[in-house]
Amino acid sequence: MKKYETETIRNLGMFSHGGEGKTSIVEAMLFLAGENTRLGRVDDGTSLMDYEPEEIERKATISSTLACFEWNKYKINLLDTPGDDNFIYDAKLCIRVVDGAVIVVSAVSGVRVQTEKVWEYANEFSVPVCFFINKMDRERADFTRTVEDLRKNFTDKNIVVVQLPIGSEESFKGVIDLISMKAYLYKDDLSGAFERVDIPADLAAEAASYREKLIESAVEMDDAVMERYLNGEEIKDEEIEACLKGGIWGRKLAPVMVGAAAKNMGIQPLLDNLVRYFPNPLYAGKAEGADPVSGKPVTRKMAPNEPFSAFVFKTITDPFAGKLTLFKVYSGELHPDSVVLNVKKDEKERIGQIFYLVGKKQKPAGFVSVGDIAAVAKLKEAATGDTLCDEKAPIVYPEVALPSPLISFSLHPKSKGDEDKLNTSLGRLIEEDPSIRYSRDEQTKEFIISGMGQIHIEVLVARMKRKFGVDVELREPKVPYKETIKGRTKVQGKYKRQSGGRGQYGDCWLELEPLPHGAGFEFVDKIVGGVIPRQYIPSVEKGIVEAMEHGILAGYPTTDFRATVYDGSYHEVDSSDMAFKIAASMGFKKGMEQSQPTLLEPIMKVEVIMPEEFVGDIMGDMNSRRGKIMGVEAKGNNQIVKAVVPMAEMLKYAPDLRSMTGGRGTFVMEFSHYEEVPAHIAQKVIDQANREREA
Ligand SMILES: Nc1nc2c(ncn2[C@@H]2O[C@H](COP(=O)(O)OP(=O)(O)OP(=O)(O)O)[C@@H](O)[C@H]2O)c(=O)[nH]1
Ligand SMILES: [Mg+2]
């Protein structure tokens, strides 16, 4: 691909709720820009952007994809992101590196949950936005209603209509540009061919009134122009454009455009407006980072003659082609065959060839300069969120905060070979998607994998199989129950084998007593007069520690009690460490039986955030999950319900919450403490555990 001045680069991204048509829009753009000889379609698996097998199977974007192409002598680096909330972290990483966000809404369904989320992300990262109202050809498409919906939901910016649709549903034919006051009338043949004509007479009045509103909004961005407008002077089209541009760059207004991607209608005017109104990568002037040693904030001038620095926003793992690292350059230049510092890993990375991407297609890039987005293959350490830079001028750029995981499963490798490869393959996939967490539960010994939703985890498992040949099964994770005692007791543990040869003799008296929840295990030695010789006391403790690993109720670890050894006896020849260990463990088991053994369960602290209207339902549901409501608070337009709930009742909360709130509720959850399991439930847990142990 040829070289472009940074001023002629546009870094843009497509964001929306799932299925609004982002990928279809990009396909139409690639076709019009000559990157594809036909119009790729998500529905029949011919999309250049949704090329991964899991994406083709689900007909949805799972992982963001970069498309670099030329339009009107501008180089567009366009990121197509997933809309499904399982993969929304990927969209957030992309919004971090673009200079303009196209938020797509469907003319049929309007603003939806993820639309609100991506709007918030754009605000969080101060990214200029525009709207594209798509699917104007669909039944029940309604432009006016959709614009009203945008205005109702996004009140912090002026929503300005710059295009009007011509017709709707079956008779959607094209768009009116309210600045040039011309109509683009499309042929209904997917070619994207159009005629630029005068506005149809029946729409002239409507277009004039919308143009008036457009001018009113535009001139507000510039006091001098505003004054002339109020004095009745005529405002030139170029001035309106300049005002709009200022409003978009300053994030005070968001223009609205319209079309139908699947019909390849309205895409050229969208592209024209994107290059015209959105900033070039240098508009911010500087990039904010931190000194990797002191942690103090530093800024880096975004200029080609500054030392190199870049942020890694994406990693693509491929077992055959190797790893591909996608980055945005914030300062300086990156040349092939150079060495850069990976600041976070404190490792030097050798840069090979640099590429631009169009979907999975790679184009050699030569070197890349400030503001550009590109990819490099086979870096050793680089993972999503890392900073690469000139080792003589280290800087680290802020990562994108990870969302808290909402659902967990336990992973069961299907064979020994799978188990061996599990760690490496998971590690590679987490480099790609850090919103997946992976850990080993110390108690249950299970591999636990957590993510944003069931589909998130299922897709990971499918990828693990396809990319690394690792086959695993997903199960609900086990709840890490514990056992304790409620009563106190004194008990003798005695082990004696004295028939022929050297015998075994150990004898200890133990007192067991409960401790408060969370206190753990305490061992006290009250032996006097050497009734048990000193050297055997640690064996007594060890015997209890080993036995308490598997409580007598259901085999769960025992906790929150004190064991005191206060008496015993020994044999000059037959006593040994082993004998005292066995004696103590026998004593512990008998003693536990005598002192009201009890099952404990983990209790989670949960916060559910949702619109007011769902508060009643959520609280009722919490009660049915044995939860205790700790309070309800307002947060912006939402309410937060705080509760403590047994973990066992929360394993499937994510899908349940989604269906209760139509996807508008979210929650965070963390471990709080252990509590006694109510008797009727405890019996079921014990029976189940014993059945499993027998099996
Ligand atoms: N009728 C009609 N259908 C469309 C239009 N644009 C997209 N679609 C269809 O809507 C569905 C979703 O389109 P995608 O392009 O995959 O949407 P997306 O926003 O990329 O979806 P995710 O990647 O899953 O978030 C597909 O079946 C498309 O064919 C349109 O303008 N009109
Ligand atoms: Mg898509």
Side-chain angles (χ1 to χ4, degrees):
M1 202 166 178
K2 72 175 220 226
K3 276 284 154 234
Y4 293 82
E5 292 300 320
T6 305
E7 285 73 12
T8 60
I9 292 177
R10 295 288 179 272
N11 296 316
L12 301 163
M14 313 293 298
F15 303 90
S16 81
H17 194 90
E20 306 288 60
K22 299 176 291 299
T23 305
S24 305
I25 295 169
V26 180
E27 292 298 336
M29 290 176 169
L30 292 177
F31 173 68
L32 294 169
E35 291 290 340
N36 197 356
T37 49
R38 55 177 181 158
L39 187 61
R41 303 187 73 93
V42 175
D43 304 296
D44 55 19
T46 58
S47 161
L48 289 186
M49 303 300 282
D50 284 359
Y51 61 83
E52 294 233 21
E54 292 81 21
E55 299 185 307
I56 293 170
E57 186 193 333
R58 288 174 190 266
K59 297 191 173 35
T61 308
I62 284 171
S63 174
S64 57
T65 306
L66 173 63
C68 306
F69 60 93
E70 188 186 289
W71 185 257
N72 285 357
K73 303 205 166 59
Y74 284 79
K75 176 178 181 239
I76 299 191
N77 296 322
L78 186 58
L79 284 161
D80 179 30
T81 69
D84 188 310
D85 62 355
N86 281 278
F87 309 104
I88 205 71
Y89 184 64
D90 197 0
K92 204 172 175 185
L93 282 160
C94 290
I95 222 165
R96 159 121 174 39
V97 297
V98 296
D99 309 304
V102 181
I103 298 182
V104 182
V105 287
S106 144
V108 183
S109 41
V111 172
R112 293 164 81 186
V113 181
Q114 297 303 112
T115 328
E116 293 176 28
K117 235 181 235 169
V118 296
W119 176 265
E120 282 167 22
Y121 292 166
N123 281 340
E124 186 179 336
F125 295 102
S126 301
V127 175
V129 293
C130 70
F131 289 101
F132 185 75
I133 298 182
N134 189 35
K135 303 196 184 184
M136 267 314 292
D137 61 312
R138 279 267 310 266
E139 227 176 278
R140 295 194 308 282
D142 188 331
F143 179 77
T144 319
R145 186 190 61 215
T146 310
V147 172
E148 273 166 22
D149 201 23
L150 293 175
R151 293 214 164 106
K152 194 175 88 218
N153 280 281
F154 307 123
T155 49
D156 55 327
K157 281 188 203 33
N158 198 348
I159 310 282
V160 183
V161 173
V162 300
Q163 289 177 349
L164 284 185
I166 303 172
S168 71
E169 302 181 318
E170 276 180 353
S171 59
F172 176 64
K173 287 195 191 62
V175 302
I176 294 171
D177 174 36
L178 294 172
I179 295 184
S180 62
M181 287 302 262
K182 285 284 177 190
Y184 292 70
L185 273 183
Y186 281 85
K187 288 211 178 83
D188 194 6
D189 61 358
L190 301 182
S191 69
F194 61 84
E195 260 183 294
R196 199 158 174 274
V197 295
D198 288 336
I199 295 174
D202 58 330
L203 289 172
E206 193 187 357
S209 128
Y210 267 96
R211 179 177 159 89
E212 208 46 48
K213 281 186 246 163
L214 161 64
I215 298 174
E216 279 167 20
S217 305
V219 297
E220 261 180 40
M221 300 297 135
D222 185 325
D223 290 344
V225 183
M226 169 83 126
E227 204 177 306
R228 287 175 35 230
Y229 174 72
L230 292 178
N231 288 338
E233 282 180 44
E234 197 190 327
I235 309 298
K236 292 207 272 307
D237 286 355
E238 304 86 85
E239 289 177 295
I240 301 172
E241 284 183 15
C243 285
L244 280 179
K245 194 161 143 178
I248 294 168
W249 286 36
R251 305 181 6 82
K252 294 202 191 80
L253 62 78
V256 179
M257 290 158 276
V258 62
K263 297 220 148 180
N264 198 357
M265 290 184 180
I267 306 300
Q268 300 96 329
L270 169 65
L271 276 167
D272 291 346
N273 283 342
L274 289 176
V275 294
R276 184 179 305 141
Y277 293 126
F278 278 83
N280 76 63
L282 302 182
Y283 84 115
K286 56 189 194 311
E288 318 268 350
D291 181 300
V293 181
S294 68
K296 293 216 177 79
V298 285
T299 52
R300 181 63 61 79
K301 192 171 164 218
M302 292 185 74
N305 52 3
E306 289 286 311
F308 167 74
S309 69
F311 178 77
V312 174
F313 66 94
K314 186 170 181 69
T315 310
I316 302 169
T317 344
D318 188 295
F320 307 108
K323 191 164 77 176
L324 211 55
T325 303
L326 277 69
F327 58 92
K328 176 177 180 183
V329 184
Y330 280 101
S331 63
E333 291 175 346
L334 183 66
H335 291 262
D337 300 319
S338 58
V339 173
V340 297
L341 178 68
N342 181 338
V343 187
K344 238 175 75 188
K345 307 278 158 57
D346 198 17
E347 285 270 351
K348 289 191 188 145
E349 304 263 19
R350 177 158 293 284
I351 303 294
Q353 229 190 349
I354 303 168
F355 302 102
Y356 292 129
L357 299 177
V358 183
K360 69 174 163 188
K361 202 164 65 181
Q362 303 180 347
K363 296 181 180 180
F367 74 97
V368 280
S369 188
V370 57
D372 212 351
I373 288 176
V376 58
K378 300 199 169 82
L379 293 191
K380 262 199 328 264
E381 293 285 338
T384 304
D386 286 357
T387 298
L388 304 175
C389 64
D390 184 335
E391 59 178 315
K392 290 193 224 73
I395 184 170
V396 57
Y397 290 117
E399 286 177 53
V400 176
L402 282 169
S404 46
L406 301 179
I407 199 164
S408 299
F409 287 92
S410 72
L411 278 185
H412 298 264
K414 290 197 176 151
S415 73
K416 180 76 181 71
D418 291 327
E419 186 169 342
D420 294 342
K421 284 189 284 179
L422 185 68
N423 266 315
T424 27
S425 59
L426 262 178
R428 303 270 301 272
L429 289 170
I430 291 171
E431 268 177 13
E432 201 170 314
D433 179 1
S435 67
I436 296 267
R437 319 280 171 89
Y438 170 57
S439 62
R440 184 102 194 245
D441 188 304
E442 282 305 316
Q443 178 181 329
T444 62
K445 302 280 179 273
E446 287 184 318
F447 295 102
I448 303 293
I449 185 128
S450 312
M452 304 310 295
Q454 181 151 355
I455 296 175
H456 193 196
I457 306 287
E458 281 172 2
V459 165
L460 178 95
V461 167
R463 283 190 165 169
M464 211 149 62
K465 181 156 189 199
R466 175 171 63 84
K467 294 193 172 186
F468 301 97
V470 179
D471 219 352
V472 296
E473 189 192 328
L474 284 178
R475 292 191 209 142
E476 236 177 68
K478 289 204 182 101
V479 176
Y481 292 102
K482 291 190 193 290
E483 300 182 15
T484 191
I485 52 172
K486 282 206 291 187
R488 50 201 304 160
T489 191
K490 290 186 170 175
V491 66
Q492 183 184 26
K494 186 165 180 181
Y495 182 59
K496 191 172 155 190
R497 289 277 174 281
Q498 289 172 316
S499 50
R502 197 189 150 180
Q504 293 284 357
Y505 187 92
D507 173 25
C508 57
W509 278 88
L510 303 173
E511 178 170 16
L512 301 183
E513 55 194 315
L515 290 177
H517 287 332
F521 167 62
E522 237 177 65
F523 178 73
V524 180
D525 165 21
K526 280 201 181 154
I527 292 298
V528 283
V531 291
I532 298 176
R534 286 289 80 181
Q535 78 260 31
Y536 296 134
I537 303 292
S539 307
V540 172
E541 181 173 2
K542 219 175 186 179
I544 299 171
V545 168
E546 277 177 20
M548 65 189 255
E549 268 306 297
H550 301 284
I552 59 151
L553 282 178
Y556 293 111
T558 317
T559 185
D560 300 342
F561 71 100
R562 177 186 295 133
T564 307
V565 55
Y566 63 95
D567 201 358
S569 64
Y570 71 103
H571 184 276
E572 284 294 346
V573 181
D574 292 346
S575 279
S576 66
D577 282 335
M578 177 59 82
F580 270 100
K581 212 170 90 177
I582 296 173
S585 96
M586 288 163 64
F588 165 77
K589 281 184 193 153
K590 199 157 86 185
M592 195 176 166
E593 260 167 53
Q594 296 169 11
S595 43
Q596 295 179 54
T598 312
L599 198 65
L600 298 175
E601 63 180 340
I603 305 292
M604 310 302 281
K605 207 158 79 189
V606 182
E607 288 190 17
V608 192
I609 302 138
M610 80 242 96
E612 170 111 53
E613 61 200 280
F614 300 111
V615 170
D617 288 353
I618 295 299
M619 299 216 299
D621 176 70
M622 277 295 168
N623 281 328
S624 70
R625 290 175 196 267
R626 303 191 280 128
K628 286 191 213 77
I629 306 290
M630 310 304 282
V632 182
E633 275 168 26
K635 187 193 177 196
N637 296 331
N638 287 325
Q639 297 284 316
I640 307 180
V641 172
K642 296 185 171 175
V644 287
V645 199
M647 182 201 250
E649 307 287 340
M650 293 298 286
L651 296 178
K652 291 204 200 95
Y653 193 60
D656 293 351
L657 178 66
R658 181 182 312 204
S659 64
M660 278 186 290
T661 62
R664 297 175 66 199
T666 56
F667 72 107
V668 288
M669 175 159 88
E670 63 179 22
F671 169 75
S672 171
H673 62 281
Y674 273 86
E675 257 176 40
E676 190 178 334
V677 182
H680 64 287
I681 293 170
Q683 198 50 54
K684 279 188 213 149
V685 175
I686 292 167
D687 292 346
Q688 172 72 22
N690 289 336
R691 267 201 304 276
E692 271 171 24
R693 268 192 302 176
E694 275 156 30

